[in-house]
Amino acid sequence: MPLSRRTLLTGLTATAAALPLLSCSPATALGDRTEADLSTADGWLTWIAQHRDRLALVLTDTTGPLLAHRAGSPQPLASAVKAAHLAAYATAVADGRLDPAEQVRVGDWERYYVPTDGGAHVAALQELGIPTDDTGAWAADPDRHVTLEQLATAMIGHSDSAVPDLLRDRLGTEAVRAAALAGGWPDADVRSLCAEYLFLLLPAEAPAPGTPLPRRREIGFALERRHRDEQALRDQVRTRLLAQALPDWNTQLAWATGTAASDPAQLAALHRSLAEGTYPSPRAAEIARGILERRAAGNLPDGVLGLGYKGGSLPGVLTAGISLRLADGRIAAGSLLAHGGISAEQLATGDPGQPLIKAVLDPAWRDRLRAALRG
C-alpha cells in the first residue's frame, strides 16, 4: 500500500472539496494493453519495460549493490527531497538547536502553504485534530499550536510541503545542504517548494526560461518571503485557486520537469546512512529513522524490522527513497525516480516503493526486475 500521500496538484471548489487539478483521459491504451497499474510491483515491471529511459534506480544492501539503472542520471525528486529537510531537523534537535516540543502557531506554518499538494496539508490537519475553514484547505483557527515534532512527522507521513520550507527558512539553506552532505548527498537541490508552486500558479512571478539554478533559487526564496510576510499575496493565491484559474496538464508536466532534481545514488546514500547508523550524528540518525519508519510501523512485511520511506509525486513524476532493516541483519536502501509516461490516474494510485521493497525481499522477483531494466 502507499506509505505517504501523493502530490498531485489540486484546485479548490467554492464548496471546499479538494479535487484533482486536471484529469487525463481514461486508462491510456498501450497497443492492445491497458495502462500499467503502478500500485503493484508487477505493474511497475510492465511500465519499466516500456520506459527504461524514464527511470533511474539504485538498490543496495549490506552485502553490496543489488541493482543500478541510470544511477547517475538526475531526475525530478518531488517530495522525496524532504528526506534532506528531515536530516536537517534531526541534526538540529540532536545538537540542541531545536526543541521538538516547541509550540508552533498553525497560522505561521500555513504562511508557507500553497494548496497544490493533493490534500497532504489537510490530511495533516485532520490527524492533528485541527478543523478546516469553509474552503476545506486552511485551518479554521490559525491560532492553534502544534509541536515541531508533529510538523516533522507531517512532512514525512503526509508529505506536507509547507513544513520543509518552514524548517529551511529557520535553519538556513546551508544547514539543510550540510545535513544531506553528511549522509552522502552532495549539492542537494534545496529550493523553496512554496515558490515552485507559485511559479506555476503565478507565471508572472516565475524566472525566465533558462535562468541558472542558483538565480532561480534566489528568486524563489524572495517570493517565498513575500508569501510568508504579505497577506495580500496569500489572498491572491487563495482567490486564484478558488476561481479554478489553473494551468492545463501539459503546462504542469513542463513545470514539473524543472523542479528540484537529483540522481538516485545520492538520495539512496542519505537513506542508507540514516538506516545503518553511519550518519555522523548517531542521535540525529535515530531521530530521523524513527520518523521515516513511523508510517509503516505495525504493517511490516515478514522479516522486516523497520521500513523507512519517503515518496512523492508531481505531474508525470513518481519517486521514492527507502530503507529496510531486516531480521537477518541486513540493511537495504534504495531510490527510484520515474519521470515521464505517467498519467494522472497512475499518479493517484502509484506506489514507487513497491518495486524497491519487492526487489529486496524476493530475489527471484529482483531477477525479473533486472531483466526488465536490461530489455
Side-chain angles (χ1 to χ4, degrees):
M1 68 173 185
L3 295 174
S4 67
R5 295 185 65 84
R6 302 290 167 231
T7 314
L8 179 62
L9 300 186
T10 65
L12 304 173
T13 70
T15 56
L19 298 171
L21 174 58
L22 290 171
S23 61
C24 296
S25 57
T28 305
L30 299 171
D32 58 356
R33 297 162 292 172
T34 57
E35 194 172 70
D37 179 2
L38 299 186
S39 68
T40 69
D42 282 352
W44 274 98
L45 283 182
T46 300
W47 185 90
I48 288 167
Q50 299 157 356
H51 301 90
R52 296 180 191 91
D53 61 341
R54 304 282 192 172
L55 181 78
L57 179 151
V58 166
L59 187 63
T60 66
D61 69 9
T62 45
T63 68
L66 299 177
L67 290 169
H69 178 71
R70 301 178 70 236
S73 300
Q75 302 222 125
L77 287 162
S79 289
V81 72
K82 295 169 188 173
H85 301 81
L86 177 65
Y89 163 81
T91 299
V93 171
D95 292 347
R97 289 180 287 120
L98 287 181
D99 177 0
E102 178 186 332
Q103 297 288 311
V104 178
R105 181 176 172 271
V106 169
D108 294 337
W109 170 19
E110 291 188 335
R111 289 174 184 268
Y112 302 87
Y113 167 52
V114 182
T116 50
D117 62 357
H121 181 72
V122 172
L125 293 176
Q126 290 173 342
E127 184 167 271
L128 293 166
I130 299 173
T132 55
D133 63 11
D134 58 1
T135 70
W138 289 269
D141 180 4
D143 290 324
R144 291 280 295 269
H145 285 75
V146 295
T147 68
L148 276 175
E149 182 179 9
Q150 287 173 320
L151 289 180
T153 300
M155 175 178 70
I156 300 302
H158 290 294
S159 208
D160 183 275
S161 291
V163 176
D165 287 332
L166 182 153
L167 291 173
R168 191 217 70 254
D169 195 21
R170 177 159 177 181
L171 294 171
T173 302
E174 289 311 310
V176 181
R177 288 166 60 86
L181 176 61
W185 182 357
D187 299 321
D189 190 351
V190 178
R191 55 176 98 172
S192 168
L193 280 71
C194 170
E196 291 294 320
Y197 289 134
L198 293 175
F199 291 159
L200 177 66
L201 296 176
L202 306 173
E205 302 287 352
T211 298
L213 179 55
R215 179 57 182 153
R216 182 184 179 97
R217 277 197 291 259
E218 290 176 2
I219 294 169
F221 293 150
L223 182 59
E224 176 193 276
R225 288 191 294 271
R226 286 179 52 206
H227 189 270
R228 179 194 68 191
D229 297 338
E230 298 176 14
Q231 184 65 50
L233 180 57
R234 296 197 297 275
D235 288 344
Q236 180 185 357
V237 171
R238 182 187 185 102
T239 298
R240 188 174 182 85
L241 288 168
L242 289 171
Q244 297 282 314
L246 302 166
D248 62 28
W249 181 250
N250 287 334
T251 300
Q252 291 183 48
L253 291 173
W255 163 81
T257 298
T259 55
S262 174
D263 66 56
Q266 294 174 326
L267 178 60
L270 177 57
H271 280 271
R272 183 169 58 251
S273 71
L274 294 172
E276 290 177 341
T278 55
Y279 196 76
S281 168
R283 176 58 181 153
E286 181 184 13
I287 293 167
R289 187 166 59 244
I291 293 174
L292 285 166
E293 292 185 355
R294 192 168 298 168
R295 181 62 56 179
N299 189 29
L300 295 171
D302 291 342
V304 178
L305 302 179
L307 171 57
Y309 183 97
K310 182 69 201 87
S313 70
L314 289 171
V317 176
L318 277 169
T319 65
I322 70 161
S323 62
L324 291 92
R325 295 185 295 109
L326 303 170
D328 62 12
R330 287 182 299 140
I331 295 176
S335 67
L336 181 154
L337 307 177
H339 175 216
I342 301 171
S343 72
E345 289 83 357
Q346 288 171 316
L347 287 175
T349 59
D351 183 1
Q354 284 292 327
L356 294 172
I357 295 168
K358 184 84 168 180
V360 171
L361 300 179
D362 185 345
W365 192 89
R366 183 166 67 240
D367 288 342
R368 293 174 62 200
L369 175 55
R370 184 178 291 109
L373 292 168
R374 289 175 177 169

